[in-house]
């Protein structure tokens, strides 16, 4: 891949990942203490995905789809805790993307 396409890919990835990160922080779907770490790593995540394409990973708990393994890892720290703290008659409600 030449530099032009690599740069283009990087910019696209940057916008996809930034959007996902904005969404996660806005809806508080990652723990408070990892937010700045995640935001600092947006360029790195975007850069790593110029080599292989972005693949979406689905959270096994709430079905939200995220474009990076690192984001999913941070989200699971939150999601697994929510699961543990739920009482028997509670369910998690999120507006995750659904594939048909
Ligand atoms: Zn989740």
């Amino acid at each position: 891949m030449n530099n032009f396409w690599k740069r283009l890919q990087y910019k696209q990835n940057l916008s996809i990942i930034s959007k996902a990160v904005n969404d996660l922080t806005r809806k508080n779907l990652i723990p408070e203490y990892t937010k700045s770490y995640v935001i600092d790593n947006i360029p790195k995540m975007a850069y790593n995905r110029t080599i292989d394409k972005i693949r979406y990973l689905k959270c096994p708990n709430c079905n939200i789809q995220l474009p990076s393994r690192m984001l999913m890892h941070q989200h699971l720290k939150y999601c697994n805790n929510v699961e543990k703290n739920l009482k028997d008659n509670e369910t998690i409600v999120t507006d995750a993307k659904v594939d048909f």
Side-chain angles (χ1 to χ4, degrees):
M1 207 176 353
N2 68 35
N3 278 339
F4 173 77
W5 289 111
K6 206 168 181 180
R7 247 193 345 258
L8 193 69
Q9 180 87 61
Y10 175 72
K11 278 188 178 166
Q12 282 173 347
N13 291 352
L14 205 58
S15 99
I16 291 170
I17 288 170
S18 306
K19 261 184 217 154
V21 170
N22 281 343
D23 226 36
L24 285 175
T25 52
R26 196 164 44 85
K27 295 177 187 164
N28 290 317
L29 291 174
I30 48 174
E32 199 63 43
Y33 66 92
T34 64
K35 279 182 183 175
S36 61
Y37 172 71
V38 167
I39 291 166
D40 288 347
N41 276 285
I42 292 173
K44 194 181 166 195
M45 286 186 269
Y47 185 77
N48 289 344
R49 294 277 78 81
T50 56
I51 297 143
D52 23 274
K53 275 190 179 166
I54 282 185
R55 275 189 310 131
Y56 281 87
L57 302 164
K58 209 179 230 180
C59 171
N61 295 333
C62 67
N63 282 338
I64 194 176
Q65 289 194 25
L66 297 172
S68 146
R69 194 180 289 272
M70 191 265 213
L71 278 182
M72 182 53 77
H73 186 69
Q74 302 306 326
H75 167 69
L76 282 174
K77 285 182 190 170
Y78 161 84
C79 219
N80 289 336
N81 279 336
V82 171
E83 193 94 313
K84 267 180 235 147
N85 293 335
L86 281 181
K87 296 185 189 108
D88 288 344
N89 56 354
E90 281 180 317
T91 50
I92 307 171
V93 180
T94 58
D95 43 349
K97 259 190 255 170
V98 181
D99 282 345
F100 291 102

